């Protein structure tokens, strides 16, 4: 196992990887300083013209993207944008003598780039646009200066990639795993607190649910970095999006829990349903322990969990109905119109929570299993006599 990162996203983190993640701000600042030190040293030894653009590129790439995958993607987009913009700018400077014609073609190109710039590769378009302006400048210099500016920008990309990859690499996979665990833990805590609360409780779960939603949104921001760091996750990028959507669904269902209320006299009926729901909270806690690397074995749900819970919830409703009738035969109409409707709605909510938890388990199982499947290169053909 590597000292830098676990073999799978859910394996316990190595002490070294855990140290880097816990102090990633300080580590990232040191890495940026080290990358700039490399650039300064190169400048001191060879003193290439316009080397300041190398340092500017390093800061632009590394300042806001501590993860390895993010730095690689941004570096490649910057390199591609630089090459395209530089090629166009050098072409203008080398073939055209008219100042106004050069500037007209420059404005036309930048305007066109602005029009088509969109989506995942918008940063490459942005870089291409301002690289044209940097290379052309005031249109009073030759191609020599333009090429040196391009070379310095590309050298800055190379330095940023190498430092991100090999100097205390900060992995997006670990951040994604941590955010996933944080979201599941908050959801489990909300469900547990609700089930343990007294009748007509006035608990406010907004803080926990907002924290869970923030963790889910952070997972979504890490998708591009994850694709560059892991071929396995890249193959399952659609599944990562589905995993986010299922967490959002679970949070939405949990938001309905504080709205449910029952009287003290109905406590026994609701407790029967809550005892079933408590199992869901336990399943979420076990899942959080696995994704957080606290337990090596992935937990499994009972077979046919959905149908089992549906059957048990129906029995709980029948039991509470018979109990109500035995207590007071005259309260049948009241029970059917009020308590029966409330209990059925509450039972439906718990059932939907079970479906959401089951879906969460399924997606995480697919990701975990994918990491344990041997690749085609690892499968050696059997030798025949």
């Amino acid at each position: 196992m590597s000292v830098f990162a676990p073999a799978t996203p859910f394996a316990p983190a190595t002490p070294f990887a855990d140290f880097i993640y816990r102090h990633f701000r300080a580590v990232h600042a040191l890495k940026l300083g080290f990358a700039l030190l490399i650039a300064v040293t190169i400048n001191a030894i060879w003193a290439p013209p316009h080397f300041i653009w190398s340092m500017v590129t390093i800061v632009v790439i590394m300042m806001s993207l501590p993860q390895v995958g993010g730095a690689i993607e941004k570096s490649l987009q910057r390199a591609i944008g630089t090459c395209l913009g530089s090629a166009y700018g050098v072409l203008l400077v080398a073939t055209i003598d008219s100042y106004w014609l050069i500037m007209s073609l420059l404005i036309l190109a930048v305007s066109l780039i602005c029009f088509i710039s969109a989506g995942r590769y918008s940063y490459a378009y942005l870089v291409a646009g301002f690289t044209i302006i940097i290379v052309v400048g005031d249109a009073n210099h030759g191609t020599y200066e333009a090429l040196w500016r391009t070379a310095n920008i590309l050298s800055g990309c190379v330095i940023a990639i190498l430092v991100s990859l090999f100097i205390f690499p900060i992995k997006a996979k670990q951040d994604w795993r941590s955010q996933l665990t944080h979201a599941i833990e908050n959801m489990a805590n909300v469900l547990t607190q609700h089930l343990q609360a007294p009748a007509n409780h006035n608990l406010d779960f907004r803080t926990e649910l907002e924290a869970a939603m923030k963790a889910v949104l952070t997972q979504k921001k890490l998708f591009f970095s994850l694709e560059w760091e892991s071929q396995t996750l890249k193959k399952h990028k659609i599944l990562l999006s589905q995993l986010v959507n299922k967490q959002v669904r679970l949070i939405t269902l949990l938001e309905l829990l504080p709205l449910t209320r029952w009287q003290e006299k109905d406590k026994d009926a609701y407790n029967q349903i809550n005892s079933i729901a408590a199992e869901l909270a336990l399943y979420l806690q076990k899942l959080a322990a696995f994704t957080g690397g606290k337990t090596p074995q992935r937990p499994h749900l009972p077979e046919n969990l959905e149908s089992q819970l549906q059957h048990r919830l129906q029995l709980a409703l029948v039991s509470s109905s018979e109990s109500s009738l035995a207590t007071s035969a005259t309260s049948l109409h009241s029970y059917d119109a009020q308590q029966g409707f409330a209990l059925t709605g509450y039972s439906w909510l718990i059932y939907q929570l079970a479906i959401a938890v089951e879906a969460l388990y399924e997606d995480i199982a697919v990701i975990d299993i994918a990491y344990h499947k041997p690749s085609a290169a690892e499968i050696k053909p059997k030798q025949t006599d």
Side-chain angles (χ1 to χ4, degrees):
M1 181 180 292
S2 171
V3 297
F4 294 107
T8 76
F10 309 122
T14 64
F16 185 73
D18 185 60
F19 173 83
I20 289 178
Y21 183 72
R22 284 188 289 109
H23 304 284
F24 82 94
R25 292 185 182 276
V27 171
H28 180 53
L30 290 174
K31 289 175 64 173
L32 177 59
F34 184 73
L36 291 173
L37 178 60
I38 294 175
V40 169
T41 303
I42 293 173
N43 188 41
I45 296 174
W46 288 288
H50 305 289
F51 198 73
I52 189 66
W53 282 108
S54 178
M55 300 178 68
V56 170
T57 300
I58 291 170
V59 173
V60 169
I61 290 174
M62 296 185 65
M63 180 70 79
S64 60
L65 291 170
Q67 294 89 4
V68 171
I72 292 174
E73 171 154 7
K74 197 165 186 178
S75 295
L76 291 177
Q77 288 203 39
R78 189 173 180 88
I80 293 170
T82 296
C83 291
L84 293 176
S86 175
Y88 184 79
V90 170
L91 180 65
L92 293 182
V93 173
T95 59
I96 301 175
D97 293 329
S98 170
Y99 170 82
W100 285 108
L101 181 57
I102 290 178
M103 289 303 172
S104 297
L105 292 174
L106 181 151
I107 294 172
L108 177 64
V110 174
S111 299
L112 179 62
I113 289 171
C114 178
F115 177 75
I116 64 177
S117 176
R120 176 172 180 173
Y121 302 104
S122 58
Y123 181 68
Y125 290 112
L126 170 66
V127 172
F130 70 69
T131 299
I132 295 173
I133 297 174
I134 292 170
V135 170
V136 172
D138 57 3
N140 291 322
H141 58 78
T143 57
Y144 174 83
E145 185 174 351
L147 291 174
W148 267 114
R149 290 180 180 181
T150 302
N152 287 327
I153 293 174
L154 294 177
S155 68
C157 293
V158 172
I159 293 172
I161 290 177
L162 292 178
V163 171
S164 296
L165 274 174
F166 300 110
I167 306 298
F168 300 143
I170 301 172
K171 296 290 188 176
K173 280 195 296 185
Q174 192 161 355
D175 193 14
W176 173 77
R177 185 261 291 273
S178 178
Q179 297 298 334
L180 175 62
T181 302
H182 185 57
I184 297 174
E185 285 178 342
N186 274 281
M187 290 186 281
N189 291 336
V190 168
L191 183 55
T192 301
Q193 291 178 46
H194 170 77
L195 298 177
Q196 294 176 350
N200 273 325
H201 68 80
N202 195 29
L203 295 177
D204 188 352
F205 301 126
R206 281 179 298 179
T207 301
E208 291 88 347
L209 292 174
E210 287 174 0
M213 183 61 75
K214 184 178 179 181
V216 173
L217 294 177
T218 303
Q219 294 171 45
K220 197 170 184 179
K221 293 177 182 178
L222 293 169
F223 284 176
F224 290 157
S225 296
L226 290 172
E227 289 182 27
W228 284 101
E229 289 184 13
S230 170
Q231 287 297 315
T232 303
L233 291 179
K234 184 176 183 179
K235 294 175 183 177
H236 292 80
K237 58 183 179 181
I238 296 178
L239 184 64
L240 293 178
S241 299
Q242 293 175 350
L243 186 60
V244 163
N245 294 335
K246 289 172 183 177
Q247 290 174 78
V248 171
R249 171 174 168 76
L250 193 50
I251 292 172
T252 303
L253 290 170
L254 290 171
E255 286 178 338
L256 299 176
L257 283 180
L259 303 179
T260 58
R261 295 286 187 274
W262 57 85
Q263 301 298 323
E264 187 66 29
K265 63 181 181 179
D266 304 325
K267 181 177 64 175
D268 293 338
Y270 279 88
N271 282 345
Q272 291 185 53
I273 299 177
N274 285 347
S275 65
I276 300 173
E279 297 177 18
L280 299 178
L282 181 60
Y283 295 145
L284 285 174
Q285 291 168 358
K286 289 181 178 180
L287 188 62
F290 169 71
T291 58
K294 297 178 182 177
T295 56
Q297 286 294 109
R298 174 169 49 86
H300 297 276
L301 292 174
E303 292 186 10
N304 302 318
L305 172 68
E306 182 181 330
S307 58
Q308 287 183 24
L309 284 182
Q310 184 180 25
H311 178 66
R312 291 169 61 190
L313 287 169
Q314 288 174 345
L315 290 178
L317 288 174
V318 172
S319 175
S320 62
S321 175
E322 292 174 348
S323 174
S324 176
L325 289 172
T327 302
S328 176
T330 59
S331 63
L332 176 60
H333 178 74
S334 174
Y335 173 83
D336 289 339
Q338 298 177 14
Q339 188 193 44
F341 177 79
L343 274 175
T344 302
Y346 188 67
S347 177
W348 176 88
L349 177 58
I350 299 302
Y351 176 65
Q352 293 300 318
L353 282 171
I355 295 175
V357 170
E358 195 172 29
L360 208 60
Y361 262 77
E362 289 174 356
D363 284 356
I364 291 176
V366 171
I367 294 173
D368 184 52
I369 292 171
Y371 270 87
H372 291 90
K373 287 183 178 179
S375 63
E378 295 173 337
I379 302 175
K380 297 181 180 180
K382 293 182 179 180
Q383 295 182 353
T384 59
D385 294 335

